[in-house]
């Protein structure tokens, strides 16, 4: 096992730079997820760590070793590919033992180590089968088995679950997580799915456009996103964003969204009159008494909203509304069923809002 | 370690690329590129069998230009290529469409249809030679019995008949190739397109016109370029059936080139005739190249 | 074919008589046109001369089948040695070409070295160079190399059309193997050589078979080089031998000619029947890419 560190790593294809000056420090034994929309450079970064792409500039260390010019096979890593990359002409055993065969390990050692990996993954019954005879989940396990038999210092996963159906994805997510807890091997996992990132990672690296937007633990990112991109990317349904101006009311500071809609916030050092973007997670938007027009005018800490559609999922209800010309979603545990165009008032749970600079998008 | 530098070198793309390319490239340069140039050079010499030639400039071409047989052979080559290719395309497309239907024994049918293409041309030409025999032709026999004609047809003895007969034999061999290639193209067209067209109210002809043909056109372009190329440079069939006769009426440029160069011994002149085919071939190849470009564009230009 | 679900489609709309007119009858006519020469070839090979040259009776059948033409072929001519020559030349030139092509195709398609794209195009162009414009200069070279009238003359020249074809075809097959497999093998510790021999080649076996079968039939069927570079009777290949040795002046030995053509076609036909799918894949693959 080993730590992995990336220092000022850049990658250019021809004249276009796709990874800009990335710094990431990964501790020994950590499970790190690189997450971002497609084309954000996360896979390129992983392939550079694997040695499948040249590093244009910067340094990558695995353990103590500077690996910039080290061939993949000498980096002591294992990789699980998106399409599994199982060798179709080899059995499950052959696939898992291939690297040992190349390294010249004895037959007995091959059998022992493959057997051990197969036991961990529940593949013992399938060792003689060919990849085409396996289900998606089994293939996925073989791909992981092939990685574990090598006992590498670092596991690299390149969107390993994206070819599976939704149910299997959830199951394999747990299995990979369990495996990591058991083996404690440093793992770097690339995905575009923020739920995978949230559920699996010790540490998430959010990337966008070749830059690292934020690094932190899942809940850190969720509660304290560094900027609008991270705030919008992490969490589903996504955080609501409302443009407004900072004001001071008798009840404290607030953001005025519309003439009669003010959301109260925790204290901030920013001055009144400043343009900001207010971020509120759907589950932190509460529904106040509806249609009680009389009290609306006095209630400064409320948002005027018009219901577009209500979607019950069973466990909760998602209410899509229009607020000051923007679409906003609220999640409620109660089973509201508002007809379209109902006017309701929403309020943000205090202390759960975020403020962003409306020009730079950075958190204030 | 001593093996280390070598292994390093073997993992280098460019070095390994050159190493891997070497056998193929060496053979092709020595036996393809060099003779291609040598052939062009020979065309400017008066080389004969058994003696190297002197440079005589464009004398061969001047002489050939005056030569009515050579001009006739160009005419024949074009006639043969155009007529045979058009028929091969028409029949081939028709056969492909038939084979693309729901049929019993489909794969078996497809397999035997291709037989004329895989059997050595020379050997099947022998069968045609016998079928076209002036005295014992089975075609003549059947036509006489049916009362269509009174006298046996001299298939290979009359200029026009000989041209038609050789074209028929060429079509016989070429149709399966065109049909099977186009069938492969047809099978890549998704049936849902036809279903959508049928629901939109298209008649079978409109479906063919608006779905099949446009989807198939890139592969048609390539297949027909190949077919034209093979037909244009054909040698075997003519050599077996007529040797260019009667009165040179079926001589193609390839057969004339062979006749002048090998039995005739005039290597320089033969090479000049062969070289004269190159411009036409280049035109066909350029056409093919743009056909492939278009195909790439139709696939969505995945890799530029 | 692509869909695993069973479909009948709009087949039910067509009446049976209509199918006969639009599908079956045209198809039968095609089959007759395409297969009749083979029937005729087979029939003639077994017909005694008397029947061949008589205008009486039904020419579409044979009354007293005979093996005399085959006997003449094998005893009076060098047919067995033509056959042997053809086999040796086809097998050796196919293997040589296949070996050279595997490396070339892998280099062009997978190593992506400098200039590989242009080389791929050059291979395609080489594939389009017809033997009929090469045979004269090749003949002078063959003479100078001192291999005129030997098997080497053909073994050395057949690769000029086999290598471009095989390389082009194999490039397509290599392209279809996912890059991740090679990357994975690279991480697993394989060298380039091991990747080629343990991953790429085993996966390209269908492509190798296709290319091999096709190359074999191409060399078996080759005519113009064999006609030009070989003169001694016992060195000839089957196509050349049959056409040049079985015609004595004006006397055509039709029966033996047909017997020779029949036997000469048999090896490729048998091979083809075992590997139809590969052959078709090879033929259409070369056109499609």
């Amino acid at each position: 096992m080993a730590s992995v560190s990336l220092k000022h790593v850049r990658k250019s294809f021809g004249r276009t730079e796709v990874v800009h000056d990335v710094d990431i420090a990964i501790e020994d034994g950590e499970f790190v997820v690189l997450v971002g929309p497609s084309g954000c450079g996360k896979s390129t970064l992983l392939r550079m760590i694997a040695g499948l792409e040249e590093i244009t500039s910067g340094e990558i260390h695995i353990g103590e070793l500077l690996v910039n010019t080290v061939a993949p096979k000498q980096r002591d890593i294992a990789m699980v590919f998106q399409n599994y990359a199982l060798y179709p002409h080899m059995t499950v055993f052959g696939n898992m033992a291939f690297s040992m065969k190349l390294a010249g390990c004895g037959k007995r050692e091959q059998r022992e180590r493959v057997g051990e990996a197969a036991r961990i993954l529940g593949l013992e019954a399938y060792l003689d089968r060919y990849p085409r005879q396996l289900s998606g989940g089994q293939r996925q396990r073989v791909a992981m088995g092939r990685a574990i038999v090598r006992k590498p210092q670092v596991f690299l996963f390149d969107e390993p679950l994206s070819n599976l159906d939704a149910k299997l994805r959830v199951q394999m997510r747990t299995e990979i997580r369990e495996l990591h807890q058991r083996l404690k091997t440093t793992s770097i996992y690339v995905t575009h799915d923020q739920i995978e990132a949230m559920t699996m990672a010790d540490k998430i690296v959010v990337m966008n456009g070749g830059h690292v937007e934020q690094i932190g633990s899942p809940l850190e990112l969720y509660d304290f996103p560094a900027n609008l991109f991270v705030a919008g990317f992490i969490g589903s349904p996504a955080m609501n964003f409302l443009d407004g101006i900072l004001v001071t009311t008798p009840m404290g500071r607030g953001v005025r969204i519309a003439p009669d809609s003010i959301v109260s916030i925790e204290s901030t050092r920013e001055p009144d009159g400043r343009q900001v973007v207010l971020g509120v997670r759907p589950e932190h938007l509460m529904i106040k008494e509806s249609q009680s027009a009389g009290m609306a005018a006095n209630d400064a800490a409320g948002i005027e909203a018009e219901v577009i559609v209500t979607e019950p999922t069973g466990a909760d209800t998602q209410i899509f509304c229009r607020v000051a010309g923007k679409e906003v979603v609220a999640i409620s545990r109660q089973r509201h069923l508002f007809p379209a165009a109902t006017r309701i008032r929403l309020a943000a749970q205090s202390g759960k809002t975020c403020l962003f600079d409306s020009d730079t998008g950075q958190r204030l | 370690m001593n093996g280390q530098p070598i292994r390093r070198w073997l993992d280098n793309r460019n070095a390994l690329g050159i190493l891997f390319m070497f056998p193929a490239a060496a053979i092709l340069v020595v036996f393809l590129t060099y003779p291609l140039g040598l052939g062009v050079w020979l065309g400017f010499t008066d080389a004969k069998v058994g003696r190297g030639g002197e440079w005589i400039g464009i004398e061969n071409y001047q002489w050939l230009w005056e030569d009515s047989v050579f001009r006739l052979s160009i005419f024949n080559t074009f006639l043969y290529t155009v007529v045979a290719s058009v028929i091969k395309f028409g029949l081939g497309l028709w056969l492909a469409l038939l084979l693309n239907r729901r049929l019993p024994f489909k794969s078996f049918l497809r397999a035997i249809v291709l037989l004329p293409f895989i059997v050595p041309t020379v050997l099947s030409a022998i069968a045609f030679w016998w079928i076209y025999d002036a005295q014992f032709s089975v075609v003549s026999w059947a036509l006489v019995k049916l009362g269509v004609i009174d006298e046996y047809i001299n298939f290979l003895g009359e200029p026009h008949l000989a041209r038609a007969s050789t074209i028929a034999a060429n079509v016989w061999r070429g149709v399966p190739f065109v049909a099977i290639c186009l069938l492969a193209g047809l099978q890549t067209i998704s049936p849902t397109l036809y279903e959508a067209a049928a629901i939109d109210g298209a008649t079978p002809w409109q479906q063919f016109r608006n779905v099949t043909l446009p989807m198939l056109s890139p592969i048609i372009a390539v297949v027909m370029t190949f077919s034209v190329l093979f037909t244009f440079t054909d040698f075997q069939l003519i050599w077996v059936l007529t040797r260019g006769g009667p009165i040179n009426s079926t001589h193609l440029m390839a057969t004339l080139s062979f006749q002048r160069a090998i039995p005739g011994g005039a290597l320089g002149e033969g090479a000049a005739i062969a070289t004269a085919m190159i411009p036409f071939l280049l035109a066909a190849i350029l056409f093919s190249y743009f056909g492939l470009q278009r195909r790439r564009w139709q696939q969505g230009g995945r890799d530029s | 074919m692509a869909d695993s679900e069973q479909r009948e489609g709009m087949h039910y709309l067509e009446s049976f008589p209509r199918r006969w007119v639009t599908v079956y009858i045209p198809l039968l006519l095609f089959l007759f046109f395409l297969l009749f020469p083979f029937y005729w070839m087979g029939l003639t090979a077994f017909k005694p001369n008397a029947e061949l040259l008589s205008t009486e009776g039904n020419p579409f059948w044979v009354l007293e089948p005979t093996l005399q033409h085959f006997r003449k072929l094998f005893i009076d001519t060098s047919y067995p040695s033509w056959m042997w020559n053809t086999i040796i030349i086809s097998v050796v030139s196919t293997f040589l070409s296949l070996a050279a092509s595997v490396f070339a195709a892998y280099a062009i398609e997978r190593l992506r070295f400098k200039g590989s794209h242009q080389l791929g195009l050059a291979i395609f162009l080489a594939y389009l160079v017809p033997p009929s414009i090469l045979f004269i200069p090749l003949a002078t070279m063959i003479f100078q190399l001192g291999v005129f009238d030997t098997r080497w003359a053909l073994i050395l020249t057949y690769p000029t059309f086999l290598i471009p074809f095989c390389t082009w075809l194999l490039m397509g097959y290599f392209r279809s193997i996912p890059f991740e497999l090679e990357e994975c093998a690279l991480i697993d510790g394989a060298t380039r050589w091991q990747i080629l021999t343990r991953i790429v080649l085993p996966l390209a076996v269908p492509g190798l078979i296709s290319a091999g079968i096709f190359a074999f039939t191409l060399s078996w069927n080759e005519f113009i080089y064999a006609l030009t570079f070989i003169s001694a009777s016992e060195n000839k290949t089957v196509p050349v031998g049959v056409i040049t040795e079985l015609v004595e002046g004006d006397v055509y030995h039709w029966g033996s000619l047909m017997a020779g053509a029949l036997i000469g076609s048999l090896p490729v036909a048998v091979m083809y029947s075992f590997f139809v799918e590969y052959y078709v894949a090879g033929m259409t693959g070369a056109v499609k890419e």
Side-chain angles (χ1 to χ4, degrees), chain B:
Chain B
M1 280 270 251
N2 227 349
Q4 206 58 27
I6 293 174
R7 198 169 296 163
R8 253 271 156 68
W9 192 73
L10 279 180
D11 271 349
N12 175 305
R13 277 162 190 274
N14 289 329
L16 201 64
I18 290 169
L19 188 71
F20 277 16
M21 278 309 296
F22 182 76
I27 294 177
L28 290 183
V29 166
V30 174
F31 289 104
L32 192 113
T33 317
Y34 171 68
L36 206 56
L38 183 65
V40 175
W41 183 77
L42 278 174
F44 292 109
T45 68
D46 59 354
K48 296 268 189 296
V49 168
R51 113 177 135 71
E54 293 283 313
W55 178 268
I56 54 165
I58 58 166
E59 213 170 281
N60 281 329
Y61 294 96
Q62 279 172 333
W63 196 86
L64 282 171
W65 188 242
E66 304 290 315
D67 181 5
S68 62
V69 177
F70 174 67
R71 278 184 297 186
L72 182 66
S73 79
I74 296 183
F75 169 77
N76 288 338
T77 309
F78 270 87
L79 183 80
Y80 183 75
T81 308
V82 171
V83 175
S85 298
V86 168
I87 301 177
K88 274 189 274 194
F89 171 63
L91 291 181
L93 182 58
W94 188 16
L95 182 55
L97 289 169
L98 288 176
L99 288 173
N100 198 34
R101 308 285 291 248
R102 269 170 49 100
L103 293 169
F105 315 115
K106 194 166 173 167
S107 51
F108 174 72
L109 276 178
R110 195 184 62 174
I112 56 168
V113 155
L114 201 55
L115 267 181
F117 185 71
I118 64 132
V119 163
T121 313
V122 170
L123 303 183
S124 54
I126 292 173
F128 272 94
W129 197 12
W130 175 227
I131 289 172
Y132 288 151
D133 189 87
Q135 275 182 296
F136 302 105
S137 167
V138 63
V139 179
S140 295
W141 182 88
L143 291 177
V144 167
K145 288 281 173 195
L146 288 171
V148 180
I149 51 169
D150 302 324
E151 267 181 47
Y152 270 38
I153 304 171
N154 190 3
F155 283 104
L156 299 176
E158 306 270 341
H160 289 301
L161 273 175
R163 282 179 185 148
S165 306
T166 47
I167 287 173
N170 181 283
V171 167
W172 176 82
R173 187 180 138 77
V175 161
F177 170 75
V178 175
I180 298 298
C181 287
L182 293 186
L183 179 63
L186 282 175
Q187 284 168 340
T188 63
I189 301 177
S190 161
T192 52
L193 285 179
Y194 293 105
E195 290 169 355
I199 288 167
D200 283 344
T203 62
W205 168 252
Q206 286 169 327
Q207 288 181 24
F208 174 74
R209 186 67 201 75
N210 297 305
V211 177
T212 314
L213 266 190
M215 298 286 291
L216 206 58
S217 61
I219 203 167
I220 289 177
V222 182
V223 171
M224 288 320 293
T225 316
F226 274 86
S227 178
V228 164
L229 233 68
F230 294 150
T231 316
F232 194 91
T233 59
D234 194 11
F235 169 80
Q236 321 191 5
L237 212 98
I238 301 292
W239 190 253
V240 173
L241 286 179
T242 65
R243 307 249 159 140
I247 4 171
N248 301 317
S249 61
T250 58
H251 248 317
L252 302 183
M253 291 165 87
T255 52
L256 189 68
S257 155
F258 180 86
Q259 196 193 42
R260 297 264 163 99
I262 307 301
L267 287 179
E269 201 187 318
I273 299 173
T275 306
M277 293 200 281
I278 294 178
F280 302 117
L281 295 176
L282 273 181
I285 289 168
L286 284 179
F287 181 79
S288 162
Y289 181 72
F290 288 113
L292 288 173
Q293 289 290 311
R294 198 160 128 219
R295 184 178 159 74
R296 195 159 293 160
W297 166 74
Q298 286 203 339
Q299 283 172 336
R302 191 166 39 82
D303 46 359
S304 47

Side-chain angles (χ1 to χ4, degrees), chain A residues 47 85 87-89 146 150, chain C residues 181 183-185 187-188 198:
Chain A
R47 290 167 60 82
Y87 309 120
H89 57 299
R146 193 166 57 177
R150 303 190 48 203
Chain C
L181 283 186
E183 291 177 340
C184 192
I187 293 176
D188 273 347
R198 300 225 188 158

